[in-house]
Amino acid sequence: MGRGKFKGKPTGHRQFSTPEEMLAGTSTRPRTFRREEAEYEKEHDKEESGEDSEQESDDELDQKRKGTQGLIQIENPNLVKPKNVKARDIDIGKTTELSRREREELEKQRAHERYMRLQEQGKTEQARKDLERLNLIRQQRAEAAKKREEEKAAKEQKKAEARK
């Protein structure tokens, strides 16, 4: 029988089950899949039944380990699953320790705030120097303003004398 120019793949044509075949149970899927599906449903039912089944399922998991995994206990921290802490088990009074970097950052911020408060009050060396400079500049500006007033008054006097 001619198929045309191209041959099909050697794995053959895939066949998918229709919903009607699946309901009727005449599906052509492998029997191992049905077994796995049944096992999954049993495990799922056990999990719903209660906490007692959790202990049993843990024992089953220990028995199902392949090879030497059941014989050797490994202390690899990467393999340990993190424990889920429930909200009711959390100790509210317990404070977490800050890391070195976080502690240093907080100390730095507090020192800066303290310095800025002292700066505003004028108690630091830098603040004193700034205030001295400010007073000096105010004096210079006051002297310059007096000088300008005197010069202005002198010009007005010259103009008044020139008019006479």
Side-chain angles (χ1 to χ4, degrees):
M1 191 190 276
R3 291 190 196 166
K5 186 175 178 182
F6 300 105
K7 290 184 180 178
K9 299 210 182 228
T11 55
H13 183 70
R14 290 199 176 132
Q15 296 178 345
F16 296 97
S17 303
T18 62
E20 293 83 25
E21 289 176 342
M22 291 175 72
L23 288 173
T26 58
S27 176
T28 58
R29 64 184 178 175
R31 294 186 187 278
T32 55
F33 181 76
R34 287 184 188 152
R35 262 189 253 128
E36 290 172 4
E37 192 175 62
E39 288 175 7
Y40 174 75
E41 287 176 5
K42 287 179 186 176
E43 289 176 12
H44 189 65
D45 292 339
K46 284 182 183 179
E47 289 176 7
E48 290 178 357
S49 66
E51 294 178 6
D52 296 336
S53 64
E54 286 182 19
Q55 294 172 352
E56 293 172 9
S57 62
D58 290 340
D59 295 336
E60 289 175 22
L61 290 175
D62 291 339
Q63 293 173 359
K64 288 182 182 178
R65 288 186 178 172
K66 296 179 183 176
T68 59
Q69 289 179 348
L71 301 175
I72 302 171
Q73 289 186 350
I74 301 172
E75 293 296 325
N76 186 348
N78 296 330
L79 292 179
V80 176
K81 292 183 180 178
K83 291 184 178 180
N84 293 333
V85 180
K86 295 184 180 176
R88 65 174 180 252
D89 297 338
I90 295 176
D91 186 15
I92 297 172
K94 183 180 176 185
T95 58
T96 57
E97 298 259 340
L98 297 174
S99 68
R100 179 184 57 84
R101 287 184 181 169
E102 292 170 338
R103 259 195 324 269
E104 289 175 356
E105 186 67 28
L106 283 173
E107 289 173 7
K108 190 176 179 181
Q109 287 176 356
R110 288 179 185 144
H112 182 69
E113 290 171 5
R114 196 176 328 114
Y115 180 78
M116 293 309 286
R117 260 189 260 115
L118 291 174
Q119 184 86 355
E120 288 173 3
Q121 295 170 359
K123 293 183 179 178
T124 61
E125 239 179 89
Q126 186 177 359
R128 287 184 195 127
K129 289 179 182 177
D130 290 343
L131 290 173
E132 287 175 12
R133 259 188 255 120
L134 186 63
N135 289 334
L136 183 65
I137 290 170
R138 283 181 182 161
Q139 278 182 340
Q140 290 173 349
R141 286 181 182 169
E143 289 172 4
K146 282 183 186 177
K147 211 177 205 181
R148 271 188 258 119
E149 290 292 326
E150 289 174 3
E151 288 176 2
K152 195 175 185 181
K155 280 186 182 179
E156 287 179 10
Q157 267 186 346
K158 285 183 184 178
K159 282 185 183 178
E161 288 176 8
R163 288 182 187 162
K164 288 185 182 177

